[in-house]
Amino acid sequence: MAFAVPAGPSFAYDPASGFVWHGAARRLTERRMTPDRTILDQTLASAMAAAQGGDGEAYRRLLRDCLPVIAGMARTQGVRPDAVDDVVQDVLLTIHRARATYDPARPFLPWLRAITQRRAIDRMRRAGRRPQEVHDPIAYETRADSGPAPGQGLESRDRARILAEAVAALPEGQRQAVEHLALGERSLDETAELTGRSKGALKVNLHRALKALRRTLGPNPDERTPGHERERGTHDV
Amino acid sequence: MSANEGRTMSDGVHSPSHDRLVDALAGDLKPVRRLPAPSLRALTWCAAVFGVGLVAMPFADLDALHIRMAVPDLRYAALGAVLTAVTAALAAFQTSVPGRSALWVLAPVLPAALWIGASGMGCLRGWVVPGTDLPDAHEVGGCFAFLLSVSVPFSLGLVLMLRRACPLRPNLTAALVGLSAAAAAAALLVPFHPHDATATDLALHGVAVGLVIVVNRLAGGRLLAGKR
C-alpha cells in the first residue's frame, strides 16, 4: 500500500518501490506508449498483481497474453525464427521465477522486455558457441529458413476461421460427415454409430460436403463447380 | 519440456508445448511476497554492516584513528570505501531486478575511483613522508585475514539477499557484490589499522573482489542466476 499524496507532483513512499516521484516511472513510460499499448500494459500489470496473490487463472491468462509479445520482442532482438520457441519458454520460466520482483506501481512491459532481451541474448550466445562450418557463402545466403514465415500464424488462424465458418454453413448430415470423418479422423463404423446414419449415406454426404466446400473456398471462380452440377446433390442423405 | 515438440507448426505463439508449460506454471502457482524496493533492501544491508561496525567499535584504537583521519588521503580513502560499499550494494540490488536501468552499474565508479586513488597514495607514503609507519609481513597477514574473514560473510549475506530477486546479469551483479563487500571490509578495517600504508589492502581487496566473481563463475553462473 502506498503512502502517497495523489494531488499534484510529490514524492511518495512505497514499500515495494522505495521513495519514488509519485507515478513518475509509469507516466514516463505511458507517454512513450500508444493508447493500445497502455491498455495492454495495464491489463498485464493487473493480471500479474493478481498472480502474485496466487490467482492461477489470472496467471494463465497473463502468460498466454504474453506469448505474442515475447515472440515479437525476441524476433526484434534478432533471434532466428527456429529459436523463438526456446526463447519464449526460457522467458516464461524466468517470469515464473522473477514474479516476486515485479512492482505493480511500475509498467509491466519494460519488466518483460528486460527479461526477454536477456534470455534472447543468452540463447544467441549459446547458439554462437556451437561450431558452425559454412564452406559456401552463396549456399549460406540462399539457404531456406526452416522456421515458419513471418505472419504464418495469422494466416493459419484466418484459414482455420474461414474453414470453420464454411463447415458450419453445411447441411447437418454433411457437417457431421466432415467433422467426424475428415477433421476428427474417425472411421466410417465409429461415425455411423455416433450419428446413426448408414456408411453409404456418410460417404455420399462427405463427397457432397467436400464438393460444396471446394465451391465455397475455391481460389478463383474458374475452379468453382459449374451451375448445372450445383443443382443436384447438394442436400443431405 | 522442449520447444522442439511444437516447432513444425509453431510461429513462436501457438505451440502445444507452450500450452503445456503455461498450464504447468499456472497450476503450480503459489502466492509470493512482493520484494521490497531494491533501495530499501540495499539500505537494510548497509544498516547490518553499520551494526557490525558498531559492535566492533569498542575494540578499536580511537586515538590512533583520530590521528590517521587527520591525514587527507587516509580520510578520503576511508570515505571512498564507505561510499563504494553503499553505492555498489545499491547497484547490485538494482541490477537484480528486471527492468531497472543498467546505468546503476556506474554508481560506484566515482566512489571507487576516490577509494582506489586515495589508497594508491598510500603506496608512495614511505617515500613522500619519511617516518611513516609501514606494515611488516606479520601485519600484512593480519590485514589479509581480517579482510577475508569480513568480506566473505558480507558477500555471502549479499548473495543470499540477491538470490531472492532475479539478477539477469549474474556475473555483473556478482562483481558488484564483491566490490561492495570488499569496500565494506576496507571501511571496517580503518579503525583497526595499525599503520598508514594502504596499498597492500588495495591488492587484497582486488583478491576479495576476484574471489567472489570466480566463485560465481565456478558455480556455473548459478550462484546468483538460480534455477531458471
Side-chain angles (χ1 to χ4, degrees):
Chain A
M1 189 62 67
F3 306 102
V5 185
S10 62
F11 271 106
Y13 178 73
D14 181 355
S17 315
F19 288 95
V20 293
W21 185 245
H22 185 62
R26 179 175 281 280
R27 275 203 302 275
L28 267 177
T29 312
E30 283 176 354
R31 212 173 292 153
R32 291 188 210 119
M33 291 179 180
T34 60
D36 286 350
R37 200 72 189 269
T38 312
I39 292 166
L40 173 67
D41 193 270
Q42 285 168 354
T43 309
L44 297 176
S46 53
M48 186 47 133
Q52 286 174 330
D55 185 342
E57 207 39 55
Y59 192 47
R60 195 186 310 271
R61 259 198 329 273
L62 166 81
L63 295 180
R64 284 193 200 287
D65 289 347
C66 282
L67 289 176
V69 182
I70 298 168
M73 286 175 178
R75 283 195 202 95
T76 309
Q77 197 68 24
V79 174
R80 289 167 54 88
D82 59 350
V84 169
D85 277 348
D86 291 334
V87 173
V88 168
Q89 297 211 347
D90 279 353
V91 173
L92 290 180
L93 291 170
T94 309
I95 289 173
H96 190 68
R97 198 202 138 206
R99 64 191 191 280
T101 68
Y102 175 64
D103 173 6
R106 287 170 169 266
F108 180 83
L109 288 172
W111 184 83
L112 179 65
R113 186 178 301 111
I115 293 175
T116 307
Q117 283 178 345
R118 205 61 228 167
R119 290 297 170 248
I121 290 169
D122 290 347
R123 175 64 55 178
M124 288 191 287
R125 276 188 185 154
R126 275 201 295 276
R129 278 200 285 269
R130 268 184 238 131
Q132 288 177 344
E133 285 187 32
V134 178
H135 299 293
D136 185 348
I138 296 170
Y140 181 76
E141 293 292 330
T142 55
R143 190 181 71 89
D145 205 325
S146 55
Q152 185 176 312
L154 291 173
E155 283 175 19
S156 60
R157 244 185 302 172
D158 280 348
R159 276 202 302 272
R161 184 180 50 78
I162 292 166
L163 180 64
E165 284 171 4
V167 170
L170 292 170
E172 177 68 10
Q174 294 180 20
R175 188 179 54 75
Q176 284 179 341
V178 170
E179 282 178 353
H180 292 295
L181 293 171
L183 301 179
E185 294 181 351
R186 291 195 177 86
S187 67
L188 272 171
D189 290 332
E190 286 172 328
T191 309
E193 198 179 323
L194 279 169
T195 58
R197 293 174 194 267
S198 70
K199 287 198 256 182
L202 285 170
K203 281 183 193 172
V204 172
N205 278 341
L206 180 64
H207 175 72
R208 288 181 178 172
L210 293 178
K211 212 159 74 173
L213 288 175
R214 203 172 295 126
R215 204 163 47 231
T216 314
L217 305 173
N220 57 58
D222 301 338
E223 290 184 17
R224 291 182 184 167
T225 316
H228 66 275
E229 282 187 36
R230 211 178 298 151
E231 291 305 313
R232 59 184 170 83
T234 55
H235 55 83
D236 273 357
V237 175
Chain B
M1 192 177 296
S2 165
N4 294 337
E5 295 168 41
R7 183 163 288 163
T8 50
M9 288 288 288
S10 177
D11 52 359
V13 180
H14 304 96
S15 158
S17 57
H18 291 349
D19 293 341
R20 280 197 294 276
L21 181 58
V22 167
D23 288 341
L25 294 177
D28 186 38
L29 187 70
K30 290 180 181 66
V32 285
R33 199 156 51 88
R34 206 171 292 150
L35 278 184
S39 49
L40 202 63
R41 303 177 72 218
L43 279 179
T44 306
W45 186 79
C46 292
V49 172
F50 186 69
V52 172
L54 279 185
V55 169
M57 203 45 83
F59 305 100
D61 182 356
L62 293 179
D63 293 334
L65 176 66
H66 281 131
I67 294 169
R68 280 199 300 277
M69 287 301 100
V71 182
D73 60 80
L74 291 176
R75 192 168 61 236
Y76 291 137
L79 179 67
V82 171
L83 290 178
T84 303
V86 173
T87 51
L90 192 57
F93 279 99
Q94 291 286 352
T95 57
S96 71
V97 174
R100 299 298 168 106
S101 172
L103 293 177
W104 277 105
V105 175
L106 301 177
V109 169
L110 279 180
L114 176 66
W115 174 35
I116 293 166
S119 300
M121 279 298 291
C123 304
L124 307 173
R125 184 161 296 280
W127 294 276
V128 174
V129 187
T132 300
D133 178 18
L134 292 170
D136 57 25
H138 181 257
E139 286 172 334
V140 169
C143 284
F144 186 78
F146 181 94
L147 285 173
L148 264 194
S149 59
V150 174
S151 349
V152 170
F154 280 178
S155 299
L156 286 177
L158 265 177
V159 166
L160 285 178
M161 286 178 81
L162 288 164
R163 271 177 66 86
R164 286 199 57 216
C166 181
L168 294 175
R169 294 180 180 86
N171 290 324
L172 178 68
T173 306
L176 290 167
V177 165
L179 185 62
S180 180
L188 278 185
L189 183 65
V190 170
F192 305 97
H193 227 204
H195 47 78
D196 302 339
T198 51
T200 45
D201 307 337
L202 203 58
L204 298 182
H205 299 155
V207 171
V209 173
L211 197 67
V212 177
I213 298 170
V214 168
V215 166
N216 190 43
R217 291 293 291 176
L218 286 180
R222 297 282 166 172
L223 199 64
L224 277 169
K227 195 179 171 187
R228 278 185 199 162

